[in-house]
Amino acid sequence: MSFQEKFKAYQERQEAKKYFRSNNDQFLDSSQWVKTIVGGLLAAIACGIILGVVITALHITSSLFYLICGYVVAMAVTKIANVHSNQVAIVSVVLTFVCFVVGEMTMMYLPIYEMGIGIGGLGIINLIVISVKSLFFGDLFTIIIAVLGLFIAYEVAK
């Protein structure tokens, strides 16, 4: 087989793949991915803020809150994408983790805000680092429930 024949066969495979993906609803193009990620990120941030406010207001950390957040973020991502696939499920898990970090940040920031202390740009970075550490190295039960929330997000979006 000559180089030209191999190149022609390669081009035909690429065109067939492009045609398949354009006519198959399981694959998203780049504009749909951007819409899915941005919309899912907004939903994750909103859900994380609500999670933090509710936990701070009630003074209890219920495992049900984390499971509900995983479900809500996964449903928002799949509604925006209109697709249930492994790729969307992975995006859903990542955005659910962002939701949990935003929830931890909110729980840490609300008492500081009530004291009238503001934080600057460097303070936000420190707050993010402390929130991730708190999520990983905090209460063992909360870690287990957060992981279950991530599994729920994966299964709902899959």
Side-chain angles (χ1 to χ4, degrees):
M1 208 178 221
S2 71
F3 177 74
Q4 289 178 343
E5 292 172 351
K6 287 182 183 179
F7 185 70
K8 185 177 179 184
Y10 171 77
Q11 283 182 330
E12 288 174 0
R13 284 193 311 270
Q14 291 299 336
E15 287 177 20
K17 187 188 301 183
K18 186 176 180 182
Y19 177 78
F20 174 75
R21 286 188 175 184
S22 68
N23 292 321
N24 190 346
D25 62 348
Q26 293 296 314
F27 294 98
L28 301 174
D29 63 356
S30 60
S31 65
Q32 289 173 321
W33 274 116
V34 169
K35 183 176 83 168
T36 301
I37 291 172
V38 169
L41 186 62
L42 292 176
I45 290 172
C47 191
I49 290 172
I50 292 170
L51 173 72
V53 169
V54 168
I55 289 175
T56 302
L58 295 178
H59 299 293
I60 58 171
T61 304
S62 175
S63 60
L64 185 63
F65 298 149
Y66 288 95
L67 301 178
I68 290 172
C69 282
Y71 180 79
V72 167
V73 171
M75 287 302 294
V77 169
T78 54
K79 285 284 186 186
I80 293 169
N82 291 327
V83 172
H84 288 272
S85 68
N86 283 334
Q87 294 87 2
V88 174
I90 291 169
V91 169
S92 173
V93 168
V94 170
L95 292 176
T96 302
F97 180 75
V98 169
C99 171
F100 294 160
V101 170
V102 169
E104 290 286 327
M105 287 174 58
T106 305
M107 286 186 282
M108 288 180 196
Y109 181 69
L110 282 178
I112 294 171
Y113 177 74
E114 288 176 0
M115 289 188 296
I117 302 171
I119 58 173
L122 188 60
I124 292 175
I125 294 171
N126 288 333
L127 191 62
I128 291 171
V129 171
I130 292 170
S131 297
V132 171
K133 284 182 182 178
S134 172
L135 192 60
F136 280 125
F137 303 115
D139 183 23
L140 180 63
F141 184 70
T142 304
I143 295 168
I144 292 170
I145 295 303
V147 169
L148 283 176
L150 295 175
F151 280 125
I152 287 174
Y154 183 79
E155 287 300 318
V156 167
K158 188 176 176 185

